[in-house]
Amino acid sequence: MVNYPGNKTAGRARGGIGPVAKIDKLEIDLFRLPLPVAMEASAAGVMTAFDMVTARITDSDGVSGVGYTVMHEGQGGPIAAMCDGSFRSSIEGRDPDLIEAIWRDIYKRHHYAGRGGATGFAMAAVDVALWDLKGNRLGSPLWRLLGGANPSVRAYAGNIDLNFPVDRLLEGGMASVEAGFRSVKMRLGRPTIAEDVARVEAMRNHLPDEIELMADANEAWRVEQAMRAMTLLQPFDLVWLEEPIAPDNTAGYAHLRSLGKVPLAAGENHHTLAEFAALIGAGGVDFPEPDLTTCGGVTPFMKVARLAEAHGLPVMSHGAHDLHIHLLAAAPNAAYLEWHAFGLDKFMADPLTVQDGYARAPDRPGHGIAFDWEALAAHRPG
């Protein structure tokens, strides 16, 4: 049985009525969730499951919020331990409204071992939980709390299909169209660039003309390989080519983008605002793609979105579509919501749906996700 969190309004001291609520409890959990189908991406290899760390934060008025972050299988243990141990003193007893202050405190305390990486993943879980708590207490959906530009966001199917033969690749692309998507992404990184180009040509010829096509190389190439691939891919009118080279090669991204062959997307492996500032400032990206689960949560994601807007760039998301829908709905420069079919929907009540290429942020308080905790409990790693 799934129950939505309560959205009772607590007595606050803002205006002198009652004591200020304090964070009373932090609960951390770890789950290992099997993927519906084994998937392969060039940077990650074959994936059969993923880890999810959840944070439940309850204040002294009994109002709670839930956050989650996801990572590759077997990597969740240290991240859960960091949330449960290292972060607790920065969270419990604090005013839950002071989300930015709590985020900064955790960041400063852990910057020597952190500034991204596992620390960023861990920070995401508690930051999302704090934003959810605030929305639940105020009875406001997160996207409205963040500024509420437009609840409808264009979504694309982020298919992970590198290990699929061509016939199954094409079936997957059409299945995404039949599911309501009007934008489809495929993976590159086969043993030869010629094979990648042939797969793109097959997909482009298979999909209806009005369906947008994107491609993600997942860091498969060196710069000179990416240059050759972009020349060969130019005729297929890709919306973007994502992560053709390693994410740290900012100069390489700037050079590839200067060629004007195919628009570039990157950012899922950028963990800090400073990394995005460097990439965007170098002119290395057309579609910045932050992921709140890797960069520290809602708080830094919205800063990246505004940074992109200040540079005249759109912003899109990577993974965790049930959370990112709210952030993009609050960003006037929102472009696309990536939709990962990782099988998390079956553990939620009322998961998102796509219709005519768009998803719509829910009007439920907070992020509106209600987990089936009993079903999740069966997937705690032994």
Side-chain angles (χ1 to χ4, degrees):
M1 182 69 181
V2 178
N3 295 310
Y4 288 104
N7 32 314
K8 58 184 177 181
T9 302
R12 309 292 292 171
R14 318 287 182 248
I17 303 175
V20 175
K22 301 294 184 183
I23 296 172
D24 188 56
K25 187 187 300 183
L26 170 66
E27 301 170 272
I28 303 298
D29 219 329
L30 169 63
F31 306 99
R32 185 156 297 151
L33 304 176
L35 291 171
V37 178
M39 300 176 177
E40 182 180 9
S42 178
V46 177
M47 298 169 282
T48 60
F50 66 98
D51 284 4
M52 179 173 76
V53 174
T54 62
R56 284 185 275 187
I57 296 177
T58 305
D59 70 16
S60 53
D61 290 318
V63 183
S64 63
V66 172
Y68 76 87
T69 184
V70 292
M71 64 291 304
H72 292 167
E73 180 181 3
Q75 298 176 0
I79 293 169
M82 184 176 292
C83 291
D84 200 28
S86 300
F87 291 179
R88 190 172 295 277
S89 62
S90 298
I91 296 171
E92 291 185 343
R94 302 286 296 274
D95 180 344
D97 269 354
L98 302 182
I99 299 174
E100 176 76 28
I102 293 171
W103 194 96
R104 294 298 305 174
D105 184 49
I106 295 173
Y107 184 87
K108 287 177 68 176
R109 289 190 181 200
H110 298 86
H111 80 280
Y112 189 63
R115 299 202 307 279
T119 305
F121 280 88
M123 291 177 71
V126 297
D127 186 73
V128 170
L130 287 169
W131 280 103
D132 187 43
L133 190 159
K134 187 170 186 174
N136 287 333
R137 192 182 69 248
L138 298 177
S140 172
L142 179 56
W143 66 274
R144 286 191 179 275
L145 205 60
L146 293 171
N150 184 352
S152 294
V153 180
R154 191 169 184 86
Y156 76 88
N159 298 328
I160 301 180
D161 47 25
L162 188 62
N163 55 323
F164 293 176
V166 172
D167 57 348
R168 189 172 175 188
L169 172 75
L170 302 183
E171 289 174 6
M174 281 306 300
S176 295
V177 174
E178 291 165 3
F181 293 94
R182 298 296 174 261
S183 309
V184 174
K185 189 171 79 176
M186 59 180 292
R187 303 284 162 159
L188 308 181
R190 300 289 288 189
T192 68
I193 292 174
E195 187 177 357
D196 279 326
V197 173
R199 287 164 68 90
V200 171
E201 182 176 19
M203 180 70 91
R204 181 64 277 172
N205 291 337
H206 185 69
L207 294 177
D209 291 343
E210 68 273 14
I211 302 301
E212 297 178 320
L213 181 62
M214 302 86 159
D216 188 348
N218 289 117
E219 313 167 42
W221 302 317
R222 301 184 303 271
V223 172
E224 77 279 4
Q225 292 174 313
M227 291 170 60
R228 184 159 62 91
M230 290 171 71
T231 298
L232 295 172
L233 291 170
Q234 190 173 14
F236 302 111
D237 194 28
L238 296 177
V239 179
W240 69 70
L241 173 63
E242 188 173 336
E243 284 200 320
I245 59 176
D248 299 325
N249 192 349
T250 302
Y253 275 96
H255 175 66
L256 293 175
R257 186 173 182 239
S258 73
L259 302 177
K261 300 289 186 180
V262 183
L264 295 180
E268 69 182 74
N269 285 293
H270 288 66
H271 301 301
T272 66
L273 181 62
E275 290 175 345
F276 277 99
L279 180 66
I280 292 172
V285 66
D286 296 280
F287 289 89
E289 184 190 21
D291 181 340
L292 71 85
T293 70
T294 75
C295 71
V298 175
T299 300
F301 183 103
M302 295 307 298
K303 293 177 182 179
V304 175
R306 294 179 186 115
L307 175 68
E309 183 184 13
H311 284 80
L313 296 174
V315 68
M316 58 184 189
S317 63
H318 170 263
H321 52 264
D322 294 274
L323 295 174
H324 282 127
I325 182 69
H326 289 274
L327 280 57
L328 292 176
N333 57 326
Y336 293 89
L337 172 77
E338 183 181 37
W339 195 282
H340 264 183
F342 272 12
L344 194 55
D345 286 2
K346 65 182 179 182
F347 299 104
M348 299 176 177
D350 299 315
L352 284 183
T353 58
V354 173
Q355 185 173 5
D356 294 328
Y358 286 82
R360 186 178 180 86
D363 282 322
R364 299 184 293 273
H367 52 52
I369 298 171
F371 284 117
D372 185 338
W373 295 104
E374 291 183 9
L376 284 171
H379 296 282
R380 290 192 178 96

